[in-house]
Amino acid sequence: MRRKMAAGNWKMNGLRSSLAELDKLARAHPTAKCDLLVCPPATLLCAAATTCGNSAIRVGGQTCHDAVSGAHTGDISAQMLRDAGATAVILGHSERRQDHDERSEDVRLLAQAAQAANLQTVICVGESLFQRQATNTLDIIGAQLSLSIPDSSTGENLVVAYEPVWAIGSGMTPTPDQIGEVHDFMRARLEQRFGYGVGKSVRLLYGGSVKPANAAEIFAISNVDGALVGGASLKAEDFSPIIAALE
Ligand code: G2H
């Protein structure tokens, strides 16, 4: 039985004053029946870890570098994330793929470094609207999975998030059938590659315009083990009901 998971991706949002929302969320969830992760910008990571304290919420980064240290101005290593209090990192988000030209081969290197630093990796995959309309969705997802996920992955250190690019921050969500088709496909691919035991234990999250109003419907879909939530993770009053829908 896979433990459900709700992960918040604050993206490039949040100042120190935003920690008040995290504090509210932590107080609302001193214990939880599912895994809770919040990934604030790196500037807030240390303070966010302190704010979460002994609550059920873990904190994570939004990307990392593949080197341990060195001359990489502006970058942050997996070890640094860990040192700042992170236990997880989001990798290969479509905004990183678009804005920073990250290819799946790059994502795999980042994931190897993160897993070596004992971080759980939340690896994102997803098709564009053009790719969906060209009926290439499963080919794209299959290629992203095989190229982005390192061989060192296990049911503990790997979580996969399916985020159709056209659903991100757009208010558009795929139909339950569309989500179910991709999640079933991802499960089959992971079982094929890693064997039934590991493939069955990797959590598969859906991401893209998840909100309190659609969370329960999405969580009822087979092979959806939770959500990666962007905009609706910024306020405790929005994120809390999404978490409640998982429990
Ligand atoms: C997809 C998601 C979180 P949002 O990017 O990763 O963001 O929920 O705002 O669509």
Side-chain angles (χ1 to χ4, degrees):
M1 190 58 183
R2 291 180 297 274
R3 189 169 157 87
K4 305 281 183 193
M5 180 167 176
N9 176 11
W10 282 16
K11 307 189 179 184
M12 199 174 72
N13 296 294
L15 301 173
R16 282 180 294 169
S17 55
S18 316
L19 293 170
E21 288 300 321
L22 192 56
D23 186 50
K24 267 192 235 167
L25 194 70
R27 285 173 197 278
H29 301 277
T31 58
K33 294 194 195 100
C34 61
D35 277 4
L36 300 180
L37 175 70
V38 171
C39 300
T43 48
L44 293 178
L45 205 44
C46 276
T50 304
T51 300
C52 290
N54 290 327
S55 75
I57 303 172
R58 296 183 293 127
V59 297
Q62 297 178 11
T63 187
C64 67
H65 196 276
D66 63 341
V68 172
S69 61
H72 302 288
T73 303
D75 282 316
I76 299 173
S77 73
Q79 195 184 37
M80 289 169 175
L81 290 179
R82 187 80 218 183
D83 187 54
T87 59
V89 61
I90 298 169
L91 295 171
H93 191 282
S94 63
E95 287 152 13
R96 299 287 312 173
R97 292 177 189 259
Q98 273 165 13
D99 297 352
H100 298 272
D101 291 327
E102 281 182 8
R103 299 161 310 141
S104 291
E105 293 84 346
D106 304 318
V107 175
R108 186 189 191 107
L109 291 177
L110 306 186
Q112 274 166 1
Q115 291 178 356
N118 208 17
L119 289 173
Q120 184 181 54
T121 49
V122 181
I123 297 183
C124 303
V125 296
E127 82 287 3
S128 67
L129 190 55
F130 177 78
Q131 289 163 337
R132 176 162 283 278
Q133 285 168 342
T135 61
N136 283 335
T137 298
L138 296 185
D139 287 344
I140 295 293
I141 301 298
Q144 288 178 343
L145 287 177
S146 65
L147 294 171
S148 306
I149 296 176
D151 291 335
S152 51
S153 299
T154 66
E156 287 78 44
N157 69 14
L158 175 67
V159 174
V160 176
Y162 168 55
E163 300 207 326
V165 179
W166 50 276
I168 295 176
S170 64
M172 288 160 61
T173 45
T175 64
D177 282 352
Q178 288 173 323
I179 297 174
E181 181 188 32
V182 174
H183 278 242
D184 290 349
F185 171 79
M186 295 198 299
R187 177 72 60 212
R189 278 298 171 95
L190 290 169
E191 286 174 4
Q192 240 169 39
R193 175 165 166 198
F194 292 102
Y196 183 79
V198 171
K200 203 81 193 154
S201 61
V202 173
R203 266 83 59 85
L204 304 181
L205 309 184
Y206 168 77
S209 298
V210 176
K211 37 190 186 281
N214 61 17
E217 186 184 23
I218 291 170
F219 296 154
I221 301 168
S222 91
N223 279 313
V224 172
D225 303 309
L228 180 55
V229 184
S233 71
L234 297 173
K235 295 263 178 247
E237 68 185 31
D238 295 326
F239 201 20
S240 237
I242 294 174
I243 294 167
L246 258 189
E247 291 183 333

